[in-house]
Amino acid sequence: MAFRLSNNLVGILNLITFLLSIPILGAGIWLRREGVTECEQFLDTPVIIIGVFLMLVSLAGLIGACCRVTWLLWLYLVVMFLLIVLGIAFTIFAFVVTNKGAGQVLSGKGYKEYRLGDYSNWLQKRVNDNKNWNKIKSCLADSKVCTDFHDKYLNASLPEFYQAHLSAVQSGCCKPSNDCQFNYVGPTNWTRGSGVSNNPDCNLWDNDPKRLCFNCEACKAGFIDNLKSSWKKVAVVNIVFLIFLIVVYSVGCCAFRNNRRDNDYHQGWKP
């Protein structure tokens, strides 16, 4: 019996996926061996898991389609179906948890400020967990976001600084809140004024480059706002990926049906 087009297509798609899984797995192994920061070490295990998962699933689809191993192709389709369901659930979840919260516009300022209470409770709980936040702080320190911020605005006057367009993380983590009414000396160097504020972040600010406002609620809010933007982009990409998965799943179902027909044909045929 002629080999079916759907089997060939499933085989080709899974061969491509298998080849893509090799550099992903290699990157995870490299991070585990060479990663020196906590942020890099935090990433190695998920990357390795993704690489191994893609490799095993693509092998199941490749062998199941090309070698007509029906039970392996059936297992492949079950995994693909679960991936589609999880993908839809994640997309909905991402849009729900990132729908709430935005930066507050300040009069006469080019940047916004961020309040932790404006964002979803689920995201607040994640960043308020000390274990999670310590890892996030490590990543922020490794990215040198405040070091670059300091270098960029080192020679800026106060009016120039107030007109700067800062990222959410820079606004929340690298400078004190506007509520504190501190006196500007440099982008990461501020002195306390005579004003009194109820904002708890004012007591947490430190001119030490290693501390700054990394423990402030504004920093956590800025991180969430940045994460929110990233998650929305991921959710849009995920929709495209879901369409691809559904197409592959449909073709895989055709290949599975072909395998069963071929098996029934060979079982029913007697020499």
Side-chain angles (χ1 to χ4, degrees):
M1 184 174 288
F3 203 71
R4 311 289 180 146
L5 176 62
S6 55
N7 292 67
N8 283 329
L9 189 55
V10 170
I12 292 170
L13 290 172
N14 281 284
L15 178 61
I16 294 171
T17 305
F18 177 78
L19 294 175
L20 288 174
S21 71
I22 295 174
I24 294 174
L25 182 59
I29 295 172
W30 182 87
L31 281 173
R32 173 156 292 184
R33 290 183 176 179
E34 304 295 333
V36 292
T37 66
E38 186 176 359
C39 185
E40 290 173 334
Q41 292 169 352
F42 175 71
L43 290 173
D44 61 4
T45 300
V47 172
I48 289 174
I49 291 173
I50 291 171
V52 171
F53 177 77
L54 287 175
M55 186 173 287
L56 293 177
V57 171
S58 59
L59 277 175
L62 184 63
I63 296 171
C66 295
C67 300
R68 304 184 194 180
V69 182
T70 304
W71 71 267
L72 202 54
L73 191 56
W74 178 84
L75 181 63
Y76 167 78
L77 290 174
V78 170
V79 174
M80 290 290 288
F81 177 77
L82 292 176
L83 276 178
I84 292 170
V85 172
L86 289 173
I88 293 172
F90 170 77
T91 303
I92 295 172
F93 175 76
F95 279 116
V96 169
V97 298
T98 59
N99 189 50
K100 185 181 178 182
Q104 297 180 355
V105 178
L106 302 175
S107 177
K109 306 291 193 301
Y111 53 81
K112 298 178 181 179
E113 290 202 339
Y114 303 84
R115 301 287 184 267
L116 186 59
D118 293 340
Y119 296 89
S120 71
N121 292 330
W122 187 87
L123 287 173
Q124 287 185 51
K125 288 178 181 178
R126 302 289 83 74
V127 296
N128 280 327
D129 181 274
N130 288 331
K131 185 178 179 180
N132 290 339
W133 185 244
N134 287 335
K135 290 180 180 179
I136 294 168
K137 282 196 299 182
S138 174
C139 291
L140 292 174
D142 293 341
S143 69
K144 298 183 179 179
V145 61
C146 289
T147 302
D148 294 340
F149 163 81
H150 173 270
D151 294 342
K152 183 175 181 179
Y153 298 105
L154 180 60
N155 298 317
S157 64
L158 182 59
E160 291 173 336
F161 180 80
Y162 280 158
Q163 294 306 312
H165 296 283
L166 308 181
S167 69
V169 172
Q170 288 175 334
S171 178
C173 305
C174 307
K175 68 169 191 60
S177 169
N178 191 60
D179 296 341
C180 302
Q181 301 178 22
F182 287 173
N183 298 315
Y184 176 82
V185 178
T188 57
N189 188 1
W190 300 72
T191 58
R192 298 181 183 274
S194 57
V196 179
S197 173
N198 294 324
N199 191 330
D201 287 352
C202 299
N203 295 323
L204 296 174
W205 170 261
D206 195 311
N207 286 328
D208 183 346
K210 294 182 179 179
R211 300 183 64 181
L212 298 178
C213 217
F214 284 125
N215 289 316
C216 298
E217 288 194 354
C219 186
K220 296 176 181 179
F223 172 78
I224 288 177
D225 194 83
N226 186 71
L227 184 68
K228 171 183 166 182
S229 300
S230 299
W231 271 33
K232 283 189 174 180
K233 293 176 183 176
V234 170
V236 172
V237 173
N238 198 53
I239 292 173
V240 177
F241 182 62
L242 279 171
I243 295 172
F244 172 76
L245 281 181
I246 292 170
V247 171
V248 174
Y249 179 77
S250 301
V251 176
C253 288
C254 293
F256 179 72
R257 187 173 65 246
N258 292 340
N259 281 7
R260 293 195 63 178
R261 285 178 180 174
D262 288 349
N263 289 338
D264 292 341
Y265 172 79
H266 289 298
Q267 288 175 3
W269 182 79
K270 294 181 180 179

